[in-house]
Coordinates of all heavy atoms in Angstrom, one line a residue:
F1 N 8.9 -6.9 14.5 CA 9.5 -6.9 13.1 C 8.5 -7.6 12.1 O 8.2 -7.0 11.1 CB 10.8 -7.7 13.1 CG 11.3 -8.0 11.7 CD1 11.9 -7.1 10.9 CD2 11.1 -9.3 11.2 CE1 12.4 -7.4 9.7 CE2 11.5 -9.6 9.9 CZ 12.1 -8.7 9.2
A2 N 8.0 -8.8 12.5 CA 7.1 -9.5 11.5 C 5.8 -8.8 11.3 O 5.3 -8.7 10.2 CB 6.9 -10.9 12.1
E3 N 5.2 -8.2 12.4 CA 3.9 -7.6 12.3 C 4.1 -6.2 11.5 O 3.2 -5.9 10.7 CB 3.3 -7.4 13.6 CG 2.9 -8.7 14.3 CD 2.2 -8.5 15.6 OE1 2.3 -7.3 16.1 OE2 1.7 -9.4 16.2
L4 N 5.1 -5.5 11.8 CA 5.3 -4.2 11.1 C 5.6 -4.4 9.6 O 5.1 -3.7 8.8 CB 6.4 -3.4 11.8 CG 6.1 -2.8 13.1 CD1 7.3 -2.0 13.7 CD2 4.9 -1.8 13.0
I5 N 6.5 -5.4 9.3 CA 6.8 -5.7 7.9 C 5.5 -6.1 7.2 O 5.2 -5.6 6.1 CB 7.9 -6.8 7.8 CG1 9.2 -6.2 8.3 CG2 8.0 -7.3 6.4 CD1 9.8 -5.1 7.4
Y6 N 4.8 -7.0 7.8 CA 3.6 -7.5 7.1 C 2.5 -6.4 7.0 O 1.9 -6.2 5.9 CB 3.0 -8.7 7.9 CG 1.7 -9.2 7.3 CD1 1.7 -10.0 6.2 CD2 0.4 -8.9 7.9 CE1 0.5 -10.5 5.6 CE2 -0.7 -9.4 7.3 CZ -0.7 -10.2 6.2 OH -1.9 -10.6 5.7
T7 N 2.3 -5.6 8.0 CA 1.3 -4.6 8.0 C 1.7 -3.5 7.0 O 0.8 -3.1 6.2 CB 1.2 -4.0 9.4 OG1 0.8 -5.0 10.3 CG2 0.1 -2.9 9.4
C8 N 2.9 -3.1 7.0 CA 3.4 -1.9 6.2 C 3.7 -2.4 4.7 O 3.1 -1.8 3.8 CB 4.6 -1.2 6.8 SG 4.2 -0.5 8.4
I9 N 4.6 -3.4 4.6 CA 5.1 -3.7 3.3 C 4.1 -4.6 2.5 O 3.9 -4.4 1.3 CB 6.4 -4.5 3.4 CG1 7.4 -3.7 4.2 CG2 7.0 -4.8 2.0 CD1 7.7 -2.3 3.6
T10 N 3.4 -5.5 3.2 CA 2.5 -6.4 2.4 C 1.1 -5.8 2.2 O 0.5 -6.1 1.2 CB 2.4 -7.7 3.2 OG1 3.7 -8.3 3.3 CG2 1.5 -8.7 2.5
I11 N 0.6 -5.0 3.2 CA -0.8 -4.5 3.1 C -0.8 -3.0 2.8 O -1.4 -2.6 1.8 CB -1.5 -4.8 4.4 CG1 -1.6 -6.4 4.6 CG2 -2.9 -4.2 4.3 CD1 -2.3 -6.8 5.8
I12 N -0.3 -2.2 3.7 CA -0.6 -0.7 3.6 C 0.1 0.0 2.5 O -0.6 0.7 1.7 CB -0.2 0.0 5.0 CG1 -1.2 -0.6 6.1 CG2 -0.3 1.5 4.8 CD1 -0.9 0.0 7.5
F13 N 1.4 -0.2 2.3 CA 2.1 0.5 1.3 C 1.6 0.1 -0.1 O 1.3 1.0 -1.0 CB 3.6 0.2 1.4 CG 4.3 0.9 2.5 CD1 5.6 0.6 2.9 CD2 3.6 1.8 3.3 CE1 6.2 1.3 3.9 CE2 4.2 2.5 4.3 CZ 5.5 2.2 4.7
P14 N 1.5 -1.2 -0.5 CA 0.9 -1.5 -1.8 C -0.5 -0.9 -2.0 O -0.8 -0.5 -3.1 CB 1.0 -3.0 -1.9 CG 1.2 -3.5 -0.6 CD 1.9 -2.4 0.2
L15 N -1.3 -1.0 -1.0 CA -2.7 -0.4 -1.1 C -2.7 1.1 -1.4 O -3.5 1.6 -2.2 CB -3.5 -0.8 0.2 CG -4.2 -2.1 0.2 CD1 -4.9 -2.3 1.6 CD2 -5.2 -2.3 -0.9
I16 N -1.8 1.8 -0.6 CA -1.7 3.2 -0.9 C -1.3 3.5 -2.3 O -1.9 4.4 -3.0 CB -0.7 3.9 0.1 CG1 -1.3 3.8 1.6 CG2 -0.4 5.3 -0.3 CD1 -0.3 4.3 2.6
L17 N -0.3 2.8 -2.8 CA 0.1 3.0 -4.2 C -0.9 2.6 -5.2 O -1.1 3.2 -6.2 CB 1.4 2.2 -4.4 CG 2.7 2.7 -3.7 CD1 3.8 1.8 -3.9 CD2 3.0 4.1 -4.1
M18 N -1.6 1.5 -4.9 CA -2.7 1.1 -5.8 C -3.8 2.2 -5.9 O -4.2 2.5 -7.0 CB -3.4 -0.2 -5.2 CG -2.6 -1.5 -5.4 SD -3.5 -2.8 -4.6 CE -2.2 -4.0 -4.2
L19 N -4.2 2.7 -4.7 CA -5.2 3.8 -4.7 C -4.7 5.0 -5.4 O -5.4 5.7 -6.2 CB -5.6 4.1 -3.3 CG -6.4 3.0 -2.6 CD1 -6.6 3.3 -1.1 CD2 -7.7 2.7 -3.2
L20 N -3.4 5.4 -5.2 CA -2.8 6.5 -5.8 C -2.8 6.4 -7.3 O -3.3 7.3 -8.1 CB -1.4 6.7 -5.3 CG -0.6 7.9 -5.9 CD1 -1.3 9.2 -5.6 CD2 0.8 7.9 -5.5
F21 N -2.3 5.3 -7.8 CA -2.3 5.1 -9.3 C -3.8 5.0 -9.8 O -4.0 5.4 -11.0 CB -1.5 3.8 -9.6 CG 0.0 4.0 -9.5 CD1 0.7 3.2 -8.7 CD2 0.6 5.0 -10.3 CE1 2.1 3.4 -8.6 CE2 2.0 5.2 -10.2 CZ 2.7 4.4 -9.3
G22 N -4.7 4.4 -9.0 CA -6.0 4.3 -9.5 C -6.7 5.7 -9.7 O -7.3 5.9 -10.7
F23 N -6.5 6.6 -8.7 CA -7.0 7.9 -8.8 C -6.4 8.7 -10.0 O -7.0 9.4 -10.7 CB -6.9 8.7 -7.5 CG -7.8 8.2 -6.5 CD1 -7.3 7.9 -5.2 CD2 -9.2 8.2 -6.7 CE1 -8.2 7.5 -4.2 CE2 -10.1 7.8 -5.7 CZ -9.6 7.4 -4.4
M24 N -5.1 8.5 -10.2 CA -4.4 9.1 -11.3 C -4.9 8.6 -12.6 O -5.0 9.4 -13.6 CB -2.9 8.9 -11.1 CG -2.2 9.7 -9.9 SD -0.6 9.1 -9.5 CE 0.3 9.6 -11.0
T25 N -5.2 7.3 -12.7 CA -5.7 6.7 -13.9 C -7.0 7.3 -14.3 O -7.3 7.7 -15.4 CB -5.8 5.2 -13.8 OG1 -4.5 4.7 -13.5 CG2 -6.3 4.6 -15.1
I26 N -7.9 7.4 -13.2 CA -9.3 8.0 -13.5 C -9.1 9.4 -13.9 O -9.9 9.9 -14.8 CB -10.1 7.9 -12.2 CG1 -10.4 6.4 -11.8 CG2 -11.4 8.6 -12.3 CD1 -11.0 6.2 -10.5
S27 N -8.2 10.2 -13.3 CA -8.0 11.6 -13.7 C -7.6 11.6 -15.2 O -8.0 12.5 -15.9 CB -7.0 12.2 -12.8 OG -6.6 13.5 -13.2

């Protein structure tokens, strides 16, 4: 539970959204 929550919610999901909005902003 702790590792999946930290890996997905704290690191991967926000990074994916950051990159997505970053590319959309550049576009």
Side-chain angles (χ1 to χ4, degrees):
F1 166 80
E3 290 181 353
L4 287 179
I5 290 295
Y6 178 76
T7 301
C8 296
I9 305 299
T10 302
I11 298 179
I12 294 180
F13 288 172
L15 274 177
I16 291 174
L17 292 174
M18 288 177 203
L19 294 172
L20 177 63
F21 285 122
F23 286 127
M24 291 168 64
T25 302
I26 293 172
S27 176

